[in-house]
Amino acid sequence: MKALHSRYTAEGHDTRYPLILSQRTTAPEHDTPLLFQEFCLGLSDDQSRIVLRRYFEQYGPSQAQWVEYVHSIPTADLIHWIMTHGQLHIECSDNTPPLSPPTTARA
């Protein structure tokens, strides 16, 4: 059995997609094609964008095909979204004095 898109195999995995979120292979029945699915999260080459890749490969004795969906967002936009919408948890050392909330300057 040969993978069509070798960057998703153990030997050819591209280092630009370092975090595998999900990976699975299913074989529905004996004579049906195998289905391989992988979801990866990484950075663009210049690190300006977060990239989510969804890769699907179906292969069997008589057919083989693959498709990849690539979603991306500017890194700064995702960081801003997380800071705005994410759940904040603060940890600090025992001897850290409490910080007062930032104040806005008045004209």
Side-chain angles (χ1 to χ4, degrees), residues 52-71:
L52 173 67
R53 297 182 180 272
R54 299 181 300 141
Y55 175 77
F56 302 88
E57 185 172 338
Q58 188 175 36
Y59 46 91
S62 62
Q63 69 172 3
Q65 55 190 357
W66 63 271
V67 65
E68 180 178 57
Y69 301 94
V70 181
H71 309 270

Side-chain angles (χ1 to χ4, degrees), residues 45-100:
D45 288 338
D46 64 358
Q47 298 184 355
S48 67
R49 299 183 74 79
I50 305 288
V51 180
L52 173 67
R53 297 182 180 272
R54 299 181 300 141
Y55 175 77
F56 302 88
E57 185 172 338
Q58 188 175 36
Y59 46 91
S62 62
Q63 69 172 3
Q65 55 190 357
W66 63 271
V67 65
E68 180 178 57
Y69 301 94
V70 181
H71 309 270
S72 69
I73 185 171
T75 304
D77 289 355
L78 181 61
I79 291 170
H80 177 74
W81 186 90
I82 290 171
M83 291 173 63
T84 304
H85 296 93
Q87 183 177 358
L88 175 64
H89 175 77
I90 299 173
E91 292 186 24
C92 57
S93 60
D94 292 336
N95 59 354
T96 302
L99 299 174
S100 57

